[in-house]
Amino acid sequence: MLCAPARYLVFFQYFGTRYSGVMETKSDQALVGVQNYLEEAAQKLKPSAPIKFHISSRTDTGVHALANAAHLDIQRAPGKAAFTGQQLVQGLNHHLRPEPIRILSAQRVPSTFHARFCALSRTYIYRLLLGCAHQSQIPVFERDLCWAPAGGPLNIPAMREAAEFLLGTHDFSTFRSLNSENASQSPVRTLLQLEIRPAPGFLSHHYEHRKLEFWEVKVKGRAFLYRQVRRMVGALVAVGQGKLSPQHIQELLELKDSRAFPPHAMAPPWGLFLKSVEYGQADVAPAEEEPCG
């Protein structure tokens, strides 16, 4: 009789530019999903049953993750002990080379744990670069890792005033992109945190003469609608550019209509990072070894 499969929670990061997003896609596409590579690496660990990654948070083409999460079940052949967390990290990372995908950690969790439904909150960071008159002025080491909006400095106080309207629980219909998968999804979401703050750039202390400014928009909530974060950031930047007033953000919320969102205002994907997925300690408590006969 086989032992029950061991369930693991893994945190992983990826540079999203070369993938169609995090979710699995057909393997014959020009760009495939991060999940394709994760499951291909997992199969090389020689499990006795196929391994499926159940991913916590969907990200689109070009969006990056500092730490996404997933759970997976691994059934090993009779007589073989379950992998330790460290063995799983080392094994997966070995087979993921040279992809820009890394397993950060792995731990046994109870068989009732679910990476998506047990998540208490998700935190995103959107990176903005100010001081570039043209895209060609973006430092080469920041390419595909930030958005440099055109039009000069942003009015940060006005953006912060506008952000206050988005905090709390609202119908965010105006701030979601509709597709066939999410049309029936409730548009009500709770924004726990929305901050706009200065931030360091990669190696920015070595090009101080450029007078570049990096800013981060930090957004935290239990869950988000499809492209909600990018729409919110784009609308806030429009406020910073003087194209919208802070009160326009409140009006957009009250309209509850995705078609009311200003055309071309959505922030591009390459500045967005999934920073973290948070879980309760009880949900990820180490699983006891399940007896088998």
Side-chain angles (χ1 to χ4, degrees), residues 7 35 98 108 112 152 167 169 191 196 243 256 262 272 288:
R7 180 162 293 191
Q35 185 178 357
R108 289 284 300 272
T112 53
L167 282 169
T169 302
L191 226 60
I196 304 166
K243 297 176 181 178
K256 302 175 185 176
L272 183 59
E288 294 182 8

Side-chain angles (χ1 to χ4, degrees), residues 56-108:
S56 162
S57 305
R58 174 177 292 208
T59 59
D60 288 338
T61 304
V63 176
H64 316 288
L66 298 173
N68 205 338
H71 77 261
L72 59 150
D73 294 331
I74 301 180
Q75 178 77 65
R76 300 203 73 193
K80 287 191 173 287
F83 291 116
T84 66
Q86 189 59 31
Q87 286 172 333
L88 186 56
V89 169
Q90 291 175 347
L92 288 173
N93 280 336
H94 174 75
H95 294 299
L96 282 165
R97 296 180 303 176
E99 294 298 323
I101 305 169
R102 289 294 175 271
I103 306 297
L104 302 173
S105 66
Q107 66 183 86
R108 289 284 300 272

Side-chain angles (χ1 to χ4, degrees), residues 12-285:
F12 60 101
Q13 62 182 201
Y14 47 90
F15 183 75
T17 303
R18 61 191 292 177
Y19 305 112
S20 67
V22 71
M23 304 305 288
E24 182 180 22
T25 59
K26 293 182 179 179
S27 58
D28 59 354
Q29 293 184 191
L31 291 180
V32 299
V34 173
Q35 185 178 357
N36 292 57
Y37 292 95
L38 291 170
E39 292 180 358
E40 183 181 325
Q43 289 310 122
K44 292 176 180 177
L45 300 178
K46 299 181 179 177
S48 60
I51 294 175
K52 178 82 171 171
F53 277 70
H54 300 268
I55 295 173
S56 162
S57 305
R58 174 177 292 208
T59 59
D60 288 338
T61 304
V63 176
H64 316 288
L66 298 173
N68 205 338
H71 77 261
L72 59 150
D73 294 331
I74 301 180
Q75 178 77 65
R76 300 203 73 193
K80 287 191 173 287
F83 291 116
T84 66
Q86 189 59 31
Q87 286 172 333
L88 186 56
V89 169
Q90 291 175 347
L92 288 173
N93 280 336
H94 174 75
H95 294 299
L96 282 165
R97 296 180 303 176
E99 294 298 323
I101 305 169
R102 289 294 175 271
I103 306 297
L104 302 173
S105 66
Q107 66 183 86
R108 289 284 300 272
V109 289
S111 59
T112 53
F113 174 83
H114 196 288
R116 180 182 170 194
F117 300 119
C118 290
L120 297 179
S121 63
R122 296 163 173 88
T123 302
Y124 286 86
I125 295 289
Y126 197 100
R127 301 183 68 241
L128 298 169
L129 172 57
L130 309 185
C132 290
H134 189 269
Q135 294 292 312
S136 63
Q137 295 180 356
I138 298 174
V140 66
F141 298 108
E142 290 286 357
R143 225 179 119 191
D144 298 325
L145 295 171
C146 61
W147 176 30
L154 296 178
N155 184 339
I156 301 295
M159 292 172 66
R160 287 172 170 159
E161 181 184 346
E164 291 294 320
F165 292 115
L166 296 170
L167 282 169
T169 302
H170 306 282
D171 182 324
F172 280 98
S173 291
T174 306
F175 290 90
R176 73 168 171 182
S177 295
L178 284 176
N179 64 16
S180 58
E181 293 180 27
N182 67 23
S184 60
Q185 209 176 35
S186 169
V188 176
R189 292 290 185 270
T190 300
L191 226 60
L192 301 170
Q193 185 179 15
L194 180 49
E195 294 181 357
I196 304 166
R197 59 194 187 184
F202 182 64
L203 296 176
S204 58
H205 56 290
H206 290 298
Y207 40 80
E208 292 174 345
H209 63 285
R210 293 284 304 279
K211 296 183 180 178
L212 300 179
E213 288 183 27
F214 289 89
W215 290 78
E216 286 181 354
V217 182
K218 182 181 180 183
V219 186
K220 181 177 181 178
R222 174 75 189 262
F224 294 91
L225 299 167
Y226 182 51
R227 294 182 175 170
Q228 179 187 345
V229 175
R230 287 170 56 196
R231 281 194 165 209
M232 291 190 303
V233 170
L236 291 175
V237 167
V239 170
Q241 293 169 325
K243 297 176 181 178
L244 297 176
S245 71
Q247 288 69 34
H248 275 134
I249 302 301
Q250 184 180 29
E251 292 168 11
L252 287 172
L253 266 178
E254 291 171 351
L255 285 171
K256 302 175 185 176
D257 183 354
S258 64
R259 296 167 296 182
F261 189 77
H264 314 299
M266 183 167 65
W270 49 83
L272 183 59
F273 294 73
L274 173 59
K275 178 181 183 292
S276 59
V277 184
E278 295 82 27
Y279 296 99
Q281 200 57 45
D283 288 325
V284 297

